[in-house]
Structures are given as C-alpha cells and as structure tokens.
Amino acid sequence: MKNIFNIICFFLLAFITIPFVSAQTNDAGFRGQSMNGATGLFSIPTGRIGWEGPKDFGFDIGYRAIINTDRGTAHIPALTFSLFKFIELSAAFDIQPNINYYHHLHHENQDLLFGAKVKLPTAQGTAVAIGCNMQLINLTNDRFNYNAYQPYVAISYRGTFFTMPAETTVVFGKTFYSGTPHNNSDIDFGMGFDIILFPDVFGRAVHWIIDFANFGYSENAWPNHLTARTGSAWHRGVMNTGFRLDISSIPSLNQYKFLLDFIFNDLFDAGQRSFTVGLVFGIQP
C-alpha cells in the first residue's frame, strides 16, 4: 500500500502542473523516456531532449514496471521537463521490492533519480548533449544508502538501415560516489540504435530499439542485492532490446506524445533477465 500511495502522489504532483494544451510533435518516438526519466533509449540517454520545439516548454510523464520472475517487480514513475528547446530536467522514483539481507531483516530498497541535460547547437540530423545524473540510492535505508553522480556526453545522429530511418547514439561518461562505494577509474560507455521498422507498412509507429552499456539506468538498477554494485550492469554490462510504439504518429493524436515500451532487459544474463512494460504521455503547452 505504501508503494501505491507513493506512485499516486507522484502522478498527482505531475498533473497539478499540467496546463491546457495545444501542441504538435514530429517523430516523438525518437524522443522517448529512458527508464530513469531522461530522454533516451532504454538504459542510455540520447543527445536529444523530450521536446525540441516549436515552443519553449514541454512535459512528459511516464511509468514503467520492471518484472523479474525471481526477484519481484520494480515500479518507476518518472517526470521530464523540456525548457527553452535545449534544457531538460528529469526525475524518477525507483520503487524496488524489499530485500531480505543481514540476519534476514526486510530492508527497503528505493532510489530517487534526478537528471539534467543541455542540448548543444549542432547541424541538423545530429544531436549532442552534456548531462549529469544524480542518484540517491537506498534513499530510505540508513544502513545501505549512498549517492552516485554520472556526468556524460551523449551523441545521436540520424541515418538509414536498409532504407528504414534510424538513429544511432553513443554515450561516454564517468560515475562518482559519495558514501559507501570507493571511486575508481572505470569509464562509462553505452551505444544504441533506434530503427523505425517498415515505415511503408506501419508508418512511423513501430520503433525497434537496442542498447548496450556497462552501466544501468541507475547505479543499482533492478534487480540487485540491495548493496552497492550488485545491479545487473555490474556483471557483464547490460543489453536491452524491445519495441517502442509511437501512438502519437496517428494524425488525430499528433499534438501529444503517447509512447508504449515493451523491453527485454539484460537479455544475455541468467537471473538478471527481466521484462519491462512502460508508457509515456507528453504535452507541449
């Protein structure tokens, strides 16, 4: 009940801030939310922000359920704000199942994720963003809580794949810690592809997305064993693939952003494989 109450409060806060809308968007599927709220693929951010015009403000609200048959289900409501066509602010509340650890005590396992991104002026077809994530890991757990900070550069560029429109993203970054984990010399790297499948048949509605990174959507992404550096990406990296359906490509809905995600998480690692379903609704007043 407590988790349900948290989600309801999160969404109420979002809808209180939503004014009436008269907006229009193109290719919303290329500007969906990643699982931590930043505009991106599944685990990694892209060089784009959620709304890149024509107006100076846009708003996305999303929800994801990460379902792991062995460990349980995490729920992630997320908010994303786009400002002045080049600034993005995001937040997500990662409500993970409680974990039995340390003499079988039932430990809370919830994370609060923040993000900021600045899109640089570049040539049309290429998007470059400088961003940073701040993650409050095990926020409500005094024994195992710590913070992670992830500055990064994300580069996205358009192309074609067998005549199908596509976008490639490369991410470089670094993770720093305060709290329990020690800082190290690891470099964050991720790469992904977003392909509009068979546009002659489906229009621009069906996106196939695949991304790989040596970091997850958060420093201790679900599933994990509560303590630092036990999330799925710490084993052998994480590879996600799935489909993003852009319902807003329907002409009568193109003034909004309406996306559905169906994701296979960490597909190559036994015990870490999960399935995620998610939806995003966005507007530009």
Side-chain angles (χ1 to χ4, degrees), residues 131-153:
C132 185
N133 299 320
M134 182 178 72
Q135 302 165 357
L136 310 182
I137 306 298
N138 296 328
L139 177 69
T140 57
N141 190 320
D142 293 336
R143 181 182 293 271
F144 298 109
N145 62 330
Y146 64 98
N147 299 335
Y149 311 91
Q150 296 178 318
Y152 64 85
V153 175

Side-chain angles (χ1 to χ4, degrees), residues 47 85-86 118-130:
K85 305 182 185 73
F86 73 97
V118 176
K119 183 175 180 288
L120 303 181
T122 56
Q124 187 175 6
T126 302
V128 179
I130 298 174

Side-chain angles (χ1 to χ4, degrees), residues 4-270:
I4 295 174
F5 177 76
N6 288 336
I7 293 175
I8 292 173
C9 289
F10 195 89
F11 279 101
L12 284 176
L13 175 64
F15 283 113
I16 288 172
T17 65
I18 298 177
F20 292 104
V21 181
S22 60
Q24 188 171 1
T25 180
N26 295 312
D27 282 342
F30 279 130
R31 291 177 281 105
Q33 276 184 346
S34 63
M35 288 188 283
N36 66 7
T39 297
L41 302 182
F42 295 145
S43 280
I44 68 174
T46 64
R48 304 193 176 277
I49 65 172
W51 294 87
E52 299 177 347
K55 299 186 179 181
D56 288 336
F57 177 75
F59 178 94
D60 295 338
I61 181 169
Y63 166 79
R64 285 162 189 83
I66 303 177
I67 305 163
N68 183 275
T69 56
D70 296 327
R71 309 300 301 277
T73 300
H75 304 274
I76 311 178
L79 303 173
T80 308
F81 297 93
S82 300
L83 307 171
F84 312 117
K85 305 182 185 73
F86 73 97
I87 297 173
E88 177 177 286
L89 302 175
S90 61
F93 190 26
D94 191 358
I95 306 169
Q96 303 179 2
N98 291 356
I99 290 181
N100 290 326
Y101 186 84
Y102 192 72
H103 300 307
H104 305 289
L105 296 179
H106 213 43
H107 286 277
E108 291 189 354
N109 191 30
Q110 300 173 357
D111 306 331
L112 190 57
L113 315 175
F114 296 105
K117 183 192 294 189
V118 176
K119 183 175 180 288
L120 303 181
T122 56
Q124 187 175 6
T126 302
V128 179
I130 298 174
C132 185
N133 299 320
M134 182 178 72
Q135 302 165 357
L136 310 182
I137 306 298
N138 296 328
L139 177 69
T140 57
N141 190 320
D142 293 336
R143 181 182 293 271
F144 298 109
N145 62 330
Y146 64 98
N147 299 335
Y149 311 91
Q150 296 178 318
Y152 64 85
V153 175
I155 304 168
S156 301
Y157 53 94
R158 297 284 176 92
T160 58
F161 180 77
F162 290 104
T163 72
M164 294 180 288
E167 185 167 271
T168 301
T169 293
V170 179
V171 180
F172 297 93
K174 181 77 180 74
T175 301
F176 302 93
Y177 301 98
S178 64
T180 302
H182 297 291
N183 288 305
N184 54 44
S185 60
D186 293 348
I187 301 297
D188 297 338
F189 174 78
M191 188 170 186
F193 307 93
D194 184 342
I195 303 168
I196 298 179
L197 287 181
F198 309 114
D200 292 341
V201 178
F202 302 114
R204 305 185 75 85
V206 181
H207 290 243
W208 174 41
I209 296 175
I210 179 171
D211 64 14
F212 175 83
N214 62 353
F215 58 93
Y217 69 87
S218 85
E219 200 282 332
N220 222 26
W222 183 252
N224 60 63
H225 296 281
L226 179 67
T227 55
R229 298 174 180 170
T230 59
S232 55
W234 281 100
H235 299 281
R236 300 192 304 163
V238 58
M239 197 282 283
N240 311 301
T241 189
F243 299 97
R244 176 167 289 166
L245 305 184
D246 182 5
I247 308 302
S248 49
S249 65
I250 299 172
S252 60
L253 299 175
N254 66 5
Q255 66 185 123
Y256 307 104
K257 180 186 294 182
F258 189 13
L259 308 174
L260 300 176
D261 285 350
F262 302 92
I263 311 165
F264 298 97
N265 304 93
D266 205 359
L267 193 60
F268 293 156
D269 291 334

